[in-house]
Amino acid sequence: MQILFTILVIFFAGMGAGLGTGFAGMSAAAVISPMLITFLHMDPYMAVGIALSSDVLASAVSAYTYGKNKNLDIRNGLIMMVSVLTFTVIGSYIASLVPSRTMGSFSVFMTFLLGVKFIVRPVMTTKEAMQGVSPRKRAIQSLVCGCLIGFICGFVGAGGGMMMLLILTSVLGYELKTAVGTSVFIMTFTALTGAVSHFTIGGAPDWTVFALCVVFTLLWARIAAVFANRATPKTLNRATGVILVVLGLVVLIFGAMA
């Protein structure tokens, strides 16, 4: 009975994380971690490590799907990825020097508010409008915004995927599909870095939970990414908004229970 309960918890955790990743480039850690901690009483550090591991393949398959449909900006994604990783380390170091604060709710509220934003004010930018920006200007914007995202994520410890989606759509003027595709491309490498460091420091995970989380998250991320790339901009905005609002509320509830 306990095994069945474990599988059900991981299935729904993977479903929520996969849908969030495939639709909006959301980090799986924001969904999987609180569910593993709340229902399976897993060590928080190990739960985050497993969630990040699940994020690697889910983000990778999502990025592949978006890239295959020409909804991925690899050139500027690489520029942003380097600056995000660099300034995440810097932000983490600075955070270790200041008094600790409880900022875990940052990612949850950001997820909820971003979902409302997509429903109320959908992103209707076209690829033609995106291409009107000069490559040099776009590269500089990607570098600067990557530094900002990385520092905030390193300092606060959460919200990477949501920060990237918000800045790519609202600041850099990306159309939604390209923004999500570029976001999951970057998240593949940031999640891999985080997962390796977690297991190097914390030791090997529960391999059964690890495998199930990876498989379920990968499955639902693939489904979401395929649907997202076929959907119209209006439908995608609404679907992304609803997914983010629901996930924000669910994670908030689980966080309160933990």
Side-chain angles (χ1 to χ4, degrees), residues 211-224:
L212 288 173
C213 280
V214 169
V215 170
F216 288 141
T217 306
L218 177 63
L219 172 66
W220 285 102
R222 171 64 176 170
I223 292 171

Side-chain angles (χ1 to χ4, degrees), residues 55-74:
D55 208 9
V56 176
L57 287 181
S59 293
V61 75
S62 297
Y64 171 77
T65 304
Y66 279 92
K68 190 170 67 172
N69 288 276
K70 296 181 170 54
N71 293 316
L72 171 59
D73 184 356
I74 293 180

Side-chain angles (χ1 to χ4, degrees), residues 87-226:
F87 275 79
T88 296
V89 174
I90 294 173
S92 296
Y93 175 71
I94 294 177
S96 69
L97 302 178
V98 299
S100 60
R101 287 183 261 177
T102 304
M103 301 182 77
S105 59
F106 174 81
S107 181
V108 177
F109 286 114
M110 189 169 182
T111 299
F112 178 80
L113 292 176
L114 193 56
V116 172
K117 185 262 181 191
F118 279 121
I119 296 173
V120 177
R121 295 189 62 186
V123 177
M124 301 304 288
T125 306
T126 62
K127 287 188 178 179
E128 289 73 23
M130 274 183 60
Q131 292 167 356
V133 180
S134 70
R136 183 172 180 274
K137 181 179 179 181
R138 181 71 77 199
I140 293 173
Q141 287 177 327
S142 298
L143 179 63
V144 173
C145 290
C147 294
L148 176 64
I149 295 169
F151 182 81
I152 291 175
C153 294
F155 191 79
V156 176
M162 295 298 93
M163 282 289 295
M164 273 188 278
L165 185 61
L166 178 63
I167 287 181
L168 286 169
T169 55
S170 301
V171 179
L172 301 188
Y174 276 60
E175 62 94 23
L176 185 54
K177 291 181 183 179
T178 307
V180 176
T182 305
S183 178
V184 289
F185 172 73
I186 297 170
M187 287 299 296
T188 301
F189 298 95
T190 55
L192 177 61
T193 303
V196 170
S197 65
H198 266 70
F199 293 143
T200 299
I201 296 171
D206 180 320
W207 292 112
T208 301
V209 175
F210 174 90
L212 288 173
C213 280
V214 169
V215 170
F216 288 141
T217 306
L218 177 63
L219 172 66
W220 285 102
R222 171 64 176 170
I223 292 171
V226 170

Side-chain angles (χ1 to χ4, degrees), residues 15-39:
M15 181 173 68
L19 291 175
T21 299
F23 274 114
M26 181 178 178
S27 172
V31 180
I32 292 179
S33 301
M35 290 193 69
L36 295 182
I37 295 167
T38 302
F39 294 107

